[in-house]
Amino acid sequence: MQEVKPLKIHSYLSPSEIQAHLEKVEFIIMAAPSLLPPPALPIHFTIFLNTAEPIPEEIKPMILDKFCREHGITAHSDLLFETGRVAFAMTAQDSPMPRHLLDPAEANTIPWVALQVIDFLGEAEGFKEAKDGLSGWSYSYN
């Protein structure tokens, strides 16, 4: 398996900066190499929906299917779809990197906002960079 080096985080957005940053954001899609060995699917996807509102269980599969169709994701597994703590890190990239904070201790030290998080492993032809060891994210605005 290829070694994946994390991006260097310089700082995090403050609560007011997060609020301003998300003002016209509809969702953020992030793709990274899967850290699990084959036969696990090769790409780790995280989709951040700009809402903390609960999503009914019967609607969640339809939302996931829509994202998979629109982004050419042909298979998925290991799905997590829940409200999560999301921080925004400043790196060498132009746009802040969303980070799903799973560790409660870390969440006590970094500003975050609650968003709906869809996290899963997947397969897609259009995300070659993630298969080659790179991570990236893209914002969709309304």
Side-chain angles (χ1 to χ4, degrees), residues 28 30 44-49 55 60 63-64 67 79-82 100 115-120:
I28 307 159
M30 186 171 204
H44 178 195
F45 287 100
T46 308
I47 300 167
F48 303 91
L49 304 178
I55 296 177
K60 289 179 179 181
I63 292 171
L64 177 63
F67 275 101
L79 176 66
L80 170 77
F81 195 142
E82 65 183 17
H100 186 194
L115 298 176
Q116 285 292 327
V117 177
I118 308 169
D119 194 81
F120 58 96

Side-chain angles (χ1 to χ4, degrees), residues 26-106:
E26 183 178 9
F27 67 89
I28 307 159
I29 186 167
M30 186 171 204
S34 171
L35 298 177
L36 299 177
L41 295 172
I43 305 170
H44 178 195
F45 287 100
T46 308
I47 300 167
F48 303 91
L49 304 178
N50 190 8
T51 183
E53 294 296 318
I55 296 177
E57 289 301 318
E58 62 273 11
I59 302 296
K60 289 179 179 181
M62 290 182 255
I63 292 171
L64 177 63
D65 288 345
K66 177 182 185 288
F67 275 101
C68 288
R69 274 192 321 276
E70 289 178 357
H71 296 283
I73 300 168
T74 57
H76 60 81
S77 68
D78 302 284
L79 176 66
L80 170 77
F81 195 142
E82 65 183 17
T83 303
R85 297 175 291 239
V86 181
F88 289 86
M90 298 307 298
T91 66
Q93 304 302 313
D94 291 336
S95 61
M97 177 183 72
R99 274 198 64 216
H100 186 194
L101 302 177
L102 299 172
D103 179 5
E106 186 178 36

Side-chain angles (χ1 to χ4, degrees), residues 110-132:
I110 299 171
W112 56 270
V113 64
L115 298 176
Q116 285 292 327
V117 177
I118 308 169
D119 194 81
F120 58 96
L121 296 179
E123 174 62 273
E125 292 302 315
F127 293 85
K128 181 183 177 318
E129 295 86 353
K131 290 181 183 179
D132 290 342

